């Protein structure tokens, strides 16, 4: 009889482990998410640009809804207007005649559902890469591939950088930020390490010239997501506000950022 009671208790415990728990996650009204990254890669005209508009979605939703039928345009300090037209119903707004001019102010305007969103930013320069070094015995284990992409920081000015490393192998790209506070005017480098890179693999290395405000914005995002192995495009533990505002209804603020950057790019092959 004692053995039967024990078996019954064990059976009950197994059944209790199969109970489904419904988690009630509070939902809020969708907010506009603005991904307005205007990138002028050195050696190109910079005429082809795009802006992505989406909406926030409930936590467990697997897809991100596009923000359709918005009016989107950028105006420069000389009153040139660049209109972005939506590609179908994708939420991707395109322009093919954008004119990038370094150190010029640009003004983003978005009319979405009769609310006006705006932001202002300056197109900032970035130095060319000088050279790239690699080390196949780097990292903590001594078996990782390290890459250092060197460039010379301009002297006597504050500069902020945003790095992007995109490997040819199926691993996540890496993002990083840097400021020249203690190395002004010196030759410095962007640093990338990946254990799975081997000979003949390649990495696209990009360095963006960015404003101090964008540097701080991205630095916070990377701090929030880095420890968990995520990225700035994963779900954030806290809302980080960008430079875009809703001038019609301040309570319905958007997420995202309006940024303009000159970009130094190199596609490096592991030797």
């Amino acid at each position: 009889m004692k053995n039967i009671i024990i078996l019954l208790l064990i059976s009950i415990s197994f059944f209790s482990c199969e109970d489904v728990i419904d988690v009630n996650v509070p939902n809020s009204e969708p907010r506009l998410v603005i991904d307005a990254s205007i990138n002028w890669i050195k050696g190109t005209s910079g005429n082809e640009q795009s802006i992505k508009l989406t909406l926030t979605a409930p936590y467990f939703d697997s897809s991100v809804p596009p923000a359709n039928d918005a009016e989107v345009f950028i105006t420069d300090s000389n009153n040139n207007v660049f209109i972005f037209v939506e590609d179908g119903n994708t939420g991707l707004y395109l322009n093919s005649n954008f004119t990038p001019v370094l150190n010029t102010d640009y003004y983003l305007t978005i009319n979405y559902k009769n609310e006006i969103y705006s932001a202002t930013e300056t197109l900032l320069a970035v130095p060319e890469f000088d050279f790239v070094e690699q080390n196949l015995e780097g990292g903590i284990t001594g078996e990782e591939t390290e890459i250092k992409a060197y460039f010379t920081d301009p002297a006597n000015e504050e500069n902020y950088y945003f790095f992007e490393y995109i490997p040819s192998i199926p691993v996540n790209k890496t993002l990083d930020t840097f400021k020249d506070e203690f190395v002004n005017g010196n030759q410095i480098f962007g640093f990338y390490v990946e254990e799975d890179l081997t000979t003949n693999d390649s990495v696209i290395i990009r360095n963006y010239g960015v404003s101090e405000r964008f540097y701080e914005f991205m630095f916070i995002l990377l701090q929030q997501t880095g420890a968990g192995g995520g990225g700035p495009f994963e779900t954030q533990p806290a809302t980080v506000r960008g430079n875009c505002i809703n001038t019609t209804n301040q309570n319905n603020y958007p997420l995202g950022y309006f940024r303009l950057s000159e970009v130094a790019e190199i596609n490096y092959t592991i030797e």
Side-chain angles (χ1 to χ4, degrees):
M1 179 62 68
K2 180 178 180 181
N3 290 339
I4 293 174
I5 293 173
I6 292 174
L7 287 174
L8 285 173
L9 290 174
I10 293 173
S11 299
I12 292 171
S13 67
F14 278 132
F15 281 117
S16 65
C17 291
E18 296 178 358
D19 289 344
V20 177
I21 300 175
D22 292 325
V23 178
N24 292 321
V25 178
N27 292 328
S28 59
E29 288 297 317
R31 292 189 185 277
L32 183 65
V33 181
I34 301 170
D35 181 5
S37 299
I38 305 300
N39 300 315
W40 181 18
I41 298 176
K42 287 177 178 289
T44 70
S45 66
N47 296 153
E48 302 284 341
Q49 299 293 341
S50 64
I51 293 174
K52 182 73 173 179
L53 300 182
T54 55
L55 299 172
T56 56
Y59 183 84
F60 291 110
D61 280 17
S62 59
S63 61
V64 178
N68 302 125
D69 302 321
E71 296 178 9
V72 182
F73 60 91
I74 294 175
T75 307
D76 67 16
S77 55
N78 294 315
N79 291 321
N80 297 307
V81 179
F82 308 101
I83 298 174
F84 288 70
V85 180
E86 187 175 12
D87 182 17
N89 293 314
T90 62
L92 186 65
Y93 295 77
L94 308 176
N95 177 275
S96 60
N97 65 345
F98 189 83
T99 305
V101 180
L102 291 176
N103 300 313
T104 296
D105 293 333
Y106 291 83
Y107 312 92
L108 172 68
T109 303
I110 298 171
N111 184 346
Y112 180 66
K113 292 190 173 180
N114 296 318
E115 294 188 355
I116 305 299
Y117 301 82
S118 66
T120 302
E121 190 60 285
T122 304
L123 175 55
L124 297 175
V126 73
E128 288 274 15
F129 286 115
D130 297 330
F131 60 92
V132 178
E133 285 184 348
Q134 71 172 52
N135 177 13
L136 299 181
E137 299 177 346
I140 298 175
T141 64
E143 299 179 352
E144 297 176 304
T145 297
E146 292 180 352
I147 294 175
K148 295 179 179 179
Y150 286 83
F151 63 98
T152 302
D153 178 72
N156 302 318
E157 61 181 67
E158 290 185 3
N159 292 286
Y160 300 86
Y161 303 105
F162 171 53
F163 292 96
E164 184 178 32
Y165 304 93
I166 309 173
S168 60
I169 59 176
V171 296
N172 291 333
K173 66 181 180 180
T174 297
L175 306 176
D176 198 7
T177 57
F178 187 79
K179 60 180 177 179
D180 69 351
E181 182 178 5
F182 301 110
V183 293
N184 191 285
N186 293 307
Q187 188 176 69
I188 53 182
F189 59 84
F191 180 78
Y192 177 66
V193 59
E194 172 53 56
E195 63 179 352
D196 295 327
L197 280 175
T198 59
T199 302
N200 295 324
D201 290 334
S202 62
V203 181
I204 297 174
I205 306 169
R206 293 179 181 147
N207 185 13
Y208 300 77
V210 298
S211 65
E212 180 180 6
R213 182 170 180 180
F214 179 81
Y215 164 85
E216 293 172 347
F217 170 81
M218 185 56 65
F219 181 83
I220 293 172
L221 287 185
L222 294 176
Q223 287 290 313
Q224 286 190 354
T225 59
F233 308 109
E234 302 293 333
T235 301
Q236 302 301 316
T239 300
V240 182
R241 300 276 289 273
N243 63 342
C244 302
I245 61 174
N246 184 334
T247 61
T248 306
N249 178 8
Q250 293 185 1
N251 292 326
N252 186 28
Y253 58 84
L255 303 178
Y257 209 96
F258 173 48
R259 171 182 59 78
L260 300 103
S261 300
E262 186 181 35
V263 187
E265 178 181 282
I266 187 170
N267 192 343
Y268 182 76
T269 301
I270 307 300
E271 299 175 350

